[in-house]
Amino acid sequence: MKLVAQVKLLPTPQQAAALDATLRACNAAASDVARMARDLGCYRNYDLRRHAYHGIKADYRLGAQAAQHVIKKVADAYTTLKANITAGNLGKPGSRRRRKAETNPVSFRWDAAQPYDARMLSWQTDGRTVSIWTIDGWLKAVAYTGSVDQLKAVAERPIGESDLVHRDGMWFLYATVEVPEPDVYDPDGFLGVDMGIANIAYDSDGYRRRQQRLRRRLQAKNTKSARRLLARRRKKESRHAANVNHTIANRIVTEAARTGRGIAVEKLTGIRDRVRLRKPQRVTLSSWSFHQLGDILTYKARRAGVPLVQVDPRYTSQTCHGCGHRDKRNRPDQETFHCRSCGVVAHADHNAALNIAQRGVQDWGAVNRPHAALPHNQ
C-alpha cells in the first residue's frame, strides 16, 4: 500500500531562493496553461501537451519533466473541478458559485504543491540530504529532517513521486512510499465507530467551541487584519483536526488489534445531507473533517491488518441495541438515548456504536460467508 511521508527541508538562504523561484515559475505556468485549456476547451493531459509544452518550457525556463508535471497538474485540477460540479459541491445549476467555477479558468497560488519524480529529485538517505531540480539548476545536498517514523519510511521503502510544498515559511517534501500490507485476520467481533455530533473528537470539543466563537468575532469585524487572522486560524484549525483525527484513529485501531476485533464504521458519503440537525449542530458538523477521519482510520486499519467494514448508519441512533425497538422519540436530546420500549438509558453515541458494531458483524459475515456448493449439471 502507498503512504505519504513528510520531511522538512532545511535549505540555505540561497537554496530557499531557488526553490521559491521554481515554485513561482511552475505555478505561473500552470495558471497560464489553465487559461489556455479553458479558451480551447481542451482538458486532457496529452491533448494539452500539444498546445502548451514547448511554450511553457521556453517562457518559464522549465525542464521537460517539470513542464509535463505542470500540464498534468492542470488536467487533474479540471478533472477534480468537473467531479465537484457533478456532485453538486459547488452549488445548484445557475448559482453564482457554480457559474464562476464553470466559466473562469482554474488558477494556482504561487506556493501550490509541485510534483517531482525520480528524474527531478534524488535522495541521499545516509546523509539526510536530497538533490533537487530548480529553474536555476540542480541543488545539491539540501538537508532534511523529520520524525523517526517518517525518516525510517524514506530510508527503507521505495519512494515514488514527491510533492514540493511551501507552508508557513517552511519547505517540505511529501514523498509517496510503498509499505507492505499485512494479511487481514478473521475478526472476533467488531468495534463500532459512531461519528457523533456531541463527541466527534473526544476532548477537542472545547477547542472547537472556542474557535467558533473567535471565528464569529473576526467575521463580524471584517477588516483586512481580521481576514488575515482568519486565514491563519483556518490553517491552525485544519492542523489541529488532522492531529486529533490521527489520535482517534490510532486509539481505535490499537484497541481493535489488541482484542482481535474488526472495525465497523458508518459510511460517510453524504453525511451532511443525510443528518438533520439544528443550526448550532450544523455548524459543529461542518467544522470537522469526517471524511479525513474515515480515510485515516481506513489506511491505519489496512496497515495493521485490521478488518474494516463500512455499514449503512441509518436509524442506528434511533434503534435500541438491547431490544431492537426503533423510534425517533428514543432520542430526547443529542447526547441521551432512552428506549421507549424496554426503558434502557444510554449515551446516544455509545448506543449507535453498538448498533454499528452489530451491522459490521452482519456485513462481514455476508461478504465472507462460504458459498453453498452448486449442484453439478447432470
Side-chain angles (χ1 to χ4, degrees):
M1 62 184 293
K2 295 182 184 296
L3 293 178
V4 176
Q6 173 189 294
V7 299
K8 180 182 178 181
L9 296 179
L10 304 171
T12 65
Q14 294 79 8
Q15 291 172 337
L19 293 174
D20 185 287
T22 301
L23 213 51
R24 289 181 184 276
C26 288
N27 285 304
S31 293
D32 197 2
V33 175
R35 286 190 293 270
M36 180 187 300
R38 182 68 86 190
D39 291 341
L40 296 174
C42 175
Y43 303 108
R44 291 183 58 196
N45 181 22
Y46 292 103
D47 294 337
L48 266 177
R49 284 190 191 180
R50 296 202 308 270
H51 299 287
Y53 176 75
H54 295 290
I56 61 173
K57 277 189 66 179
D59 293 344
Y60 296 98
R61 297 191 293 150
L62 302 184
Q65 291 300 110
Q68 292 182 41
H69 280 299
V70 163
I71 295 169
K72 186 177 185 300
K73 182 164 74 171
V74 172
D76 290 344
Y78 276 114
T79 299
T80 301
L81 177 62
K82 181 179 179 181
N84 280 324
I85 291 174
T86 302
N89 296 334
L90 299 178
K92 298 178 180 179
S95 66
R96 181 179 177 183
R97 186 183 180 196
R98 180 159 173 168
R99 286 200 312 270
K100 183 178 179 181
E102 290 173 333
T103 57
N104 292 344
V106 171
S107 61
F108 294 84
R109 304 183 318 274
W110 78 264
D111 58 352
Q114 176 62 23
Y116 273 71
D117 60 25
R119 298 183 183 182
M120 305 166 65
L121 176 70
S122 64
W123 297 77
Q124 296 82 47
T125 55
D126 289 342
R128 291 188 186 173
T129 63
V130 295
S131 297
I132 186 168
W133 174 89
T134 72
I135 59 172
D136 296 321
W138 279 79
L139 298 181
K140 302 294 182 65
V142 181
Y144 67 84
T145 188
S147 69
V148 174
D149 289 341
Q150 308 289 343
L151 294 175
K152 183 178 180 180
V154 297
E156 298 180 356
R157 300 297 176 190
I159 301 175
E161 190 172 273
S162 302
D163 282 346
L164 175 65
V165 175
H166 181 267
R167 188 182 71 233
D168 299 330
M170 297 175 287
W171 293 94
F172 299 91
L173 282 172
Y174 288 8
T176 304
V177 296
E178 292 278 355
V179 297
E181 185 172 345
D183 294 332
V184 174
Y185 57 77
D186 189 22
D188 182 17
F190 275 81
L191 180 65
V193 180
D194 175 61
M195 302 295 183
I197 302 303
N199 293 283
I200 296 171
Y202 300 110
D203 59 349
S204 70
D205 286 345
Y207 176 90
R208 286 186 293 135
R209 285 193 290 268
R210 291 196 301 273
Q211 299 312 307
Q212 289 168 8
R213 290 195 297 268
L214 176 59
R215 196 184 309 122
R216 283 196 296 268
R217 290 199 298 269
L218 292 173
Q219 289 169 341
K221 286 185 177 181
N222 198 32
T223 61
K224 188 174 182 179
S225 60
R227 288 193 294 270
R228 283 200 300 267
L229 183 55
L230 268 173
R232 290 199 297 270
R233 301 300 302 184
R234 192 177 301 114
K235 292 179 181 179
K236 184 176 181 180
E237 287 181 47
S238 177
R239 291 194 296 272
H240 171 79
N243 180 65
V244 171
N245 282 341
H246 275 284
T247 301
I248 293 170
N250 279 333
R251 290 175 180 173
I252 292 170
V253 171
T254 300
E255 178 65 14
R258 184 185 69 81
T259 57
R261 288 179 288 176
I263 298 171
V265 63
E266 60 186 280
K267 294 177 182 176
L268 299 177
T269 304
I271 185 172
R272 287 177 171 81
D273 299 325
R274 186 174 67 242
V275 179
R276 297 291 179 262
L277 300 168
R278 298 188 300 274
K279 185 175 180 180
Q281 294 167 340
R282 289 198 298 269
V283 173
T284 299
L285 177 65
S286 297
S287 70
W288 200 260
S289 179
F290 286 96
H291 194 275
Q292 181 192 66
L293 175 56
D295 286 346
I296 293 173
L297 189 59
T298 299
Y299 95 74
K300 287 183 182 290
R302 286 181 59 193
R303 191 174 182 183
V306 174
L308 184 143
V309 294
Q310 291 190 1
V311 304
D312 185 348
R314 287 179 294 183
Y315 309 117
T316 53
S317 64
Q318 300 176 8
T319 303
C320 178
H321 178 260
C323 69
H325 176 68
R326 191 185 89 195
D327 191 331
K328 65 171 63 175
R329 295 176 300 171
N330 286 346
R331 294 287 299 276
D333 57 56
Q334 192 62 47
E335 295 192 26
T336 306
F337 182 89
H338 185 185
C339 182
R340 293 276 176 158
S341 177
C342 69
V344 68
V345 178
H347 192 286
D349 290 345
H350 183 234
N351 178 78
L354 292 173
N355 286 325
I356 289 171
Q358 182 59 39
R359 292 188 184 184
V361 173
Q362 294 167 355
D363 288 5
W364 180 265
V367 171
N368 294 278
R369 185 182 300 119
H371 296 288
L374 297 176
H376 294 289
N377 292 328
Q378 299 298 324

